[in-house]
Amino acid sequence: MNIELTPENLLIQLGYPVKEATLAQMERIVANTPGFEKFAKHLLTLNDEVKRFGGIVGLSNSKDYLKVKTDATEPAEVEAFTEYVTQWVEKYKVALEKVEGKNTYYILGHQ
């Protein structure tokens, strides 16, 4: 079964309500992320996997990008989160921007 990754479906799969504001934000994120369609279907797996480390893939409150973050504080969990995200980025050729002082990355687009 294939899920069509519309902005509405992405919101639902990432655990967000489909409201006018969140839908508009997701549409801006898709438009603002070069090559989004090349890795979009892998975002759901990324979201599922980073949950093991207290992480999520979510909407940024400050920029029109998706973010990957963890609230984990234990060094081993943070390290495992970072390693998994790094492997995912290399595999799907995705550009990230690290938020200074946080275990958060913005997904900038396909490299």
Side-chain angles (χ1 to χ4, degrees):
M1 176 170 89
N2 277 339
I3 297 173
E4 184 181 348
L5 285 180
T6 64
E8 295 92 344
N9 286 342
L10 276 170
L11 286 170
I12 293 165
Q13 293 297 316
L14 295 175
Y16 287 90
V18 179
K19 300 188 296 186
E20 190 174 321
T22 56
L23 185 56
Q25 184 178 8
M26 183 60 81
E27 289 170 347
R28 288 192 310 272
I29 288 168
V30 171
N32 193 45
T33 308
F36 188 84
E37 68 286 346
K38 293 181 180 177
F39 62 86
K41 65 183 177 184
H42 304 292
L43 288 168
L44 305 179
T45 303
L46 175 64
N47 189 49
D48 288 342
E49 291 296 321
V50 298
K51 285 179 184 177
R52 297 183 302 157
F53 318 112
I56 63 157
V57 174
L59 305 175
S60 169
N61 293 328
S62 57
K63 296 186 178 190
D64 283 332
Y65 292 114
L66 288 175
K67 66 182 176 183
V68 184
K69 71 175 233 168
T70 184
D71 291 327
T73 55
E74 184 184 316
E77 267 194 334
V78 173
E79 183 179 341
F81 167 83
T82 303
E83 284 178 18
Y84 184 82
V85 171
T86 301
Q87 290 171 1
W88 185 87
V89 162
E90 290 172 359
K91 183 174 183 176
Y92 298 110
K93 298 175 177 59
V94 176
L96 295 182
E97 175 186 323
K98 178 149 181 17
V99 176
E100 191 171 331
K102 296 184 178 183
N103 296 313
T104 303
Y105 302 87
Y106 292 119
I107 298 174
L108 303 180
H110 193 261
Q111 295 179 337

